[in-house]
Amino acid sequence: MKKLLIVILAAVAVISASIVFAADNNSAKVIAYYFHGSFRCYTCTNMEKYSKEAIEANFKDDLASGSLEFKAVNVEEQGNEHFVNDYKLYTKSLILSQVKDGKEVKSKNLDKIWELARNKQKFTDYVAGEIKEFMKGIQ
């Protein structure tokens, strides 16, 4: 009887984990990628820092739920080179990527970050506003 109960509990645990995993894979989310190379100047480092701070300050609930992620990616590291072609990168960039069912459905390059790099408040406002707009209607 005990063995049967243990087998049933184990089966329930596996099924529950599978359902949660499937739900996570099927839900839509946004990934904010900050792409950089190995050489990092002061401005480039600040743009990553400002991007991360803007996201953490304005999207705490989205970060906690997993509907928004921030990832800094060195495109010069092995395995990351494809991002240069995927997003037609020519410099350090902040890209928003909407992913649904494990596939990207849309993306946007926040190309004004270079113009605003010397003004933290305008930079932060721009990034937060663009992410809010990008995330509208994502389930």
Side-chain angles (χ1 to χ4, degrees), residues 7-109:
V7 169
I8 291 172
L9 289 174
V12 168
V14 169
I15 291 169
S16 297
S18 297
I19 291 169
V20 169
F21 180 75
D24 287 345
N25 281 345
N26 291 328
S27 61
K29 67 178 176 179
V30 171
I31 303 171
Y33 289 106
Y34 179 74
F35 292 110
H36 61 85
S38 296
F39 175 76
R40 315 268 324 257
C41 69
Y42 178 77
T43 301
C44 300
T45 303
N46 271 347
M47 288 192 302
E48 177 183 345
K49 179 182 169 188
Y50 295 167
S51 297
K52 186 175 182 183
E53 288 175 1
I55 290 167
E56 289 174 346
N58 292 285
F59 300 96
K60 289 178 184 161
D61 292 341
D62 296 300
L63 287 168
S65 73
S67 63
L68 176 63
E69 294 179 27
F70 175 79
K71 294 183 180 182
V73 178
N74 182 340
V75 296
E76 294 178 19
E77 288 182 358
Q78 188 174 357
N80 293 338
E81 305 90 348
H82 68 93
F83 288 114
V84 174
N85 290 328
D86 294 349
Y87 296 113
K88 298 173 182 31
L89 302 175
Y90 57 91
T91 189
K92 284 66 173 180
S93 301
L94 182 61
I95 304 285
L96 303 179
S97 171
Q98 180 186 349
V99 178
K100 184 164 176 69
D101 300 327
K103 295 182 182 178
E104 183 177 80
V105 293
K106 73 176 182 173
S107 66
K108 181 173 185 177
N109 185 340

